[in-house]
Amino acid sequence: MAETFEETAIVLRSVPYEERHRVVTALTEKHGKISALARNAIQSRRFGGTLEPFAAATWRMGETRGDLYHLDEATIRKDFAGLRKDFEILSLASVFNELMLRLAPEREPCVDLFKLHSNALAELEEKADAGRALEPRILLALLNAYLSKVLQWNGTQPQLLRCLGCERSLLDFPADARLRCHISVACWTCPDCRGVKPDSATDYAPGFQHQFFEATQAAIGDFYIGLSTPIRKVPELAQGSLEDQKLLFALMESLLIYQVPGFDRAPLKGLRFLPEITGTFGNAT
Ligand SMILES: [Zn+2]
C-alpha cells in the first residue's frame, strides 16, 4: 500500500472520468499543480463539495502509477462559494484558474503562486459577498496585478521606476505621458529618449511583433503598484482609467508571451465573459 500525505489544494478543474470517477486538477503549495483520481466521486457523497472549482480543501492522497495521485479523502477548508454571487467576479476567478492551469509547475513547490491565487480568490469573494459590482477598471486592475506577480514569480524583474535612457523618475511624467516599454527587458524609455534601445534589443525573438509597446505613465504606475503591493490592496490603490488598464493588459500579454515559457498566444477563455474589460484585445494578437 502506497504511503499517503496531506496537503491543502485549490481545485482548478474537475472532469468526469469513466462513469463514476472524477479527475481533479488542483494547485498546492508544496506540489504545485497536481491531478488526482477521485474514485466513485460522482454517485457517492464522500467528497461533498470539495471537488468543485475554487474549493480549497485538505486532501489526503497517495501516489499511483502514471501522472495521477489517488485522492482518498478531502476536508473542506473554504469553498469560495461566494464567488458565484457575481457573474463578472466568477468569470475573473475562472481566468485566474485558467492561468494556473497553464502556468503552475507540475509537482514542484510554488508557494508564491499558491498564496497569490488564494489571496486573489479571497479578495474577489469578499467583493462578491459585499454585493457591490466591481467596475470594469478594477476587475482589469486585479487581472493586471495578478499577471505582474506571475511575471515576478517567473524571475522577470521589470525596471519601472526610471527611464532606461535618462533615469528620470516615473513620477516626473504626467499620467497621460506615452512611455515606450521594451518587452525583452521589461523597462521603459521616456519621450526624450526615443532613440535609446536596450542592449538586448538584438535578441528580440524572430517574428515577435511587439518589440516595444506604448503605454501611459498611469498604466506603468499601476504595473508598479501591482508588483509591489499585495493583490488585496490593488482595488484601492489602482489609479489608471479603464483605457490605461487595457493598455497595461496588452503590455502584460506581450511580456508574458515573451518572458514566460508555456504562456502562448491562445486567448484566455474566461475573458469572453468580460468583454467590457478586454475590448479590442479580447481577440488574440
Ligand atoms: Zn528618458
Side-chain angles (χ1 to χ4, degrees):
M1 193 68 194
E3 271 185 53
T4 61
F5 63 97
E6 284 193 352
E7 189 162 15
T8 300
I10 298 178
V11 175
L12 301 174
R13 182 174 60 198
S14 179
V15 291
Y17 176 71
E18 296 182 339
E19 281 176 19
R20 291 173 297 143
H21 317 309
R22 280 194 170 274
V23 171
V24 189
T25 303
L27 186 68
T28 66
E29 271 185 316
K30 294 187 209 121
H31 294 81
K33 184 173 57 188
I34 56 172
S35 291
L37 177 65
R39 298 186 75 84
N40 298 314
I42 289 182
Q43 284 101 338
S44 85
R45 296 204 181 125
R46 58 193 281 236
F47 294 106
T50 57
L51 308 185
E52 297 295 320
F54 312 113
T58 303
W59 286 15
R60 189 156 61 76
M61 60 196 135
E63 290 276 1
T64 180
R65 283 186 298 261
D67 297 334
L68 295 176
Y69 290 101
H70 63 86
L71 180 59
D72 291 345
E73 210 177 283
T75 310
I76 197 79
R77 299 269 301 268
K78 190 164 172 40
D79 62 13
F80 285 113
L83 294 170
R84 293 181 172 77
K85 290 178 188 168
D86 181 288
F87 181 72
E88 273 78 28
I89 284 177
L90 180 63
S91 299
L92 183 57
S94 303
V95 171
F96 292 160
N97 266 7
E98 223 178 312
L99 283 163
M100 286 301 103
L101 282 167
R102 228 186 252 200
L103 296 170
E106 276 184 58
R107 296 195 178 202
E108 278 175 34
C110 63
V111 177
D112 293 345
L113 284 183
F114 184 87
K115 282 194 183 132
L116 168 63
H117 195 67
S118 52
N119 286 337
L121 295 184
E123 177 63 16
L124 288 180
E125 186 181 44
E126 193 183 296
K127 292 289 187 279
D129 280 338
R132 288 194 307 266
L134 286 181
E135 294 168 64
R137 182 181 83 83
I138 298 299
L139 287 165
L140 193 48
L142 282 165
L143 175 56
N144 285 332
Y146 191 101
L147 294 174
S148 72
K149 288 181 190 301
V150 167
L151 272 176
Q152 205 167 33
W153 160 79
N154 181 62
T156 309
Q157 296 294 345
Q159 295 156 43
L160 299 177
L161 280 179
R162 294 187 179 280
C163 168
L164 177 73
C166 63
E167 299 206 328
R168 262 192 292 167
S169 162
L170 185 63
L171 301 175
D172 292 343
F173 299 91
D176 60 352
R178 309 281 296 193
L179 306 175
R180 185 175 279 194
C181 304
H182 302 270
I183 303 298
S184 65
V185 285
C187 68
W188 55 272
T189 46
C190 74
D192 296 337
C193 299
R194 286 198 168 272
V196 177
K197 289 200 175 107
D199 292 340
S200 61
T202 51
D203 300 337
Y204 285 142
F208 192 77
Q209 290 173 6
H210 300 296
Q211 297 182 346
F212 56 79
F213 197 101
E214 297 237 330
T216 56
Q217 188 268 2
I220 307 289
D222 279 353
F223 189 0
Y224 181 74
I225 286 168
L227 280 172
S228 58
T229 61
I231 196 156
R232 302 200 65 168
K233 294 263 180 209
V234 166
E236 58 184 280
L237 294 178
Q239 301 288 321
S241 65
L242 178 58
E243 288 313 306
D244 293 325
Q245 297 297 340
K246 286 182 180 179
L247 273 175
L248 182 53
F249 177 66
L251 172 62
M252 287 296 172
E253 274 194 315
S254 297
L255 281 166
L256 285 158
I257 291 166
Y258 188 84
Q259 306 275 359
V260 181
F263 192 91
D264 57 28
R265 286 161 195 272
L268 292 157
K269 294 193 197 84
L271 289 179
R272 278 178 307 170
F273 303 112
L274 294 166
E276 69 281 12
I277 73 168
T278 50
T280 55
F281 301 113
N283 301 318
T285 46

